[in-house]
Amino acid sequence: MFFDKIVAAPADPILGLTEEFKKDTRPNKINLGVGIYKTNEGNTPVLKCVKKAEEIILKNETTKSYLPIVGTPEYGALVRELVFGKDSEVLAANRARTAQAPGGTGALRIGADFLKQQNVTTKIWISDPTWANHFQVFGAAGIETAKYRYYDKNTHGLDFEGMKASLAEAKEGDAVLLHACCHNPTGIDPTKEQWEELAKFCAERKLLPFFDFAYQGFGNGIDEDAFGIRTFVKYNQEVLIASSFSKNFGLYNERIGALTIVSADNETADRVFSQMKISVRSNFSNPPAHGALIVTTVLSDPELRAMWAEEVKEMRDRIKEMRELFVSKLVALGVKHDFSFISKQYGMFSFSGLSKEQVAKLKEEFGIYIVGSGRISVAGITTSNIDPLCKAIVAVL
Ligand code: LMR
């Protein structure tokens, strides 16, 4: 037998939770595990700008022929403009190249494969904590992983000194994975001054920055959220960025993202691009068209682009509102524990500080699903589920 030695894998800490949630027959169950935006009615609708773009695409589409290995040049250019801003020196010098990828995860993976196959680096430093899949993605590509300190559980803030102390142990040539905004799972981002310091730190120590940019627009704004990356490219000539349009376009199941690599000059960028093509070709040959057509159509049409920015703002504002409400409801319920830090976090998630045992109790006794680390998807809180949620949290504290 070939497979009799195979050991069953544990369920995925995030997507496995959704599978469990679906099987739960309790009518009042609440899923705050996976990072999916919900309206106050508890739906994840298709954005209006996306629907409009799809009408245009359906009318004008003439072929289902293959896309280029790295996607279309139009898509790549729009992604780069979103990441670096129109007036970026990186764009003027034409020293960045973009490959379309299946979601942010696909972008991370082709980036990891590129780094490994081209012997660019052998090790990447990843924040502790981080998105549950990061270690797996880089590990699968054969890149060694190490952790750097990030979260201070006493202050519920960034352990900036600890972060620098950990990264001081990195060797020249190591890569560093950074969450460009809305750190997953903590919701804690560096300040502008800290980004500046980190950018110089990585440049001086010759560490290769690799950004995971999955939540552009969910923190402070579409351009504002790119501050870290735009600061880094001022000091670091070589940078990788994995973009995702799952959240900010609501295109979760279209699997649409991009890997952008910045090189020192245009000629190097061409050589890098030729190798990026091999990473794509050996993984999934060439990308699917629909999600990229949507993003391209929306971003290149001023009216649709404005509509998109407005819809992203709506999502961002609703999450912020839920953060405030969450904190005030807990206070109203007489909770002694200070949860005010939740309203200072950015993005879809809140790192609640709840223990594994408390998380397990929430699931078993109340049908409330959150990630084992205590990460709550604030984007899934509504005015209908917030009361039972807060009462249940009070009961398990
Ligand atoms: C999450 O962190 O919940 C999302 O990024 C979804 C996923 O793929 O894990």
Side-chain angles (χ1 to χ4, degrees), residues 14-15 33-35 131 184 215 247 349 375:
I14 298 173
L15 299 183
V34 67
W131 178 47
N184 178 5
Y215 298 93
K247 327 282 173 171
F349 306 113
R375 187 193 84 170

Side-chain angles (χ1 to χ4, degrees), residues 12-15 33-36 105 131-133 184-185 214-215 244 246-247 252 255 348-349 371 375 377:
D12 183 83
I14 298 173
L15 299 183
V34 67
I36 294 180
T105 312
W131 178 47
N133 205 18
N184 178 5
Y215 298 93
S244 166
S246 296
K247 327 282 173 171
Y252 305 91
R255 309 310 299 135
M348 276 192 162
F349 306 113
V371 176
R375 187 193 84 170
S377 176

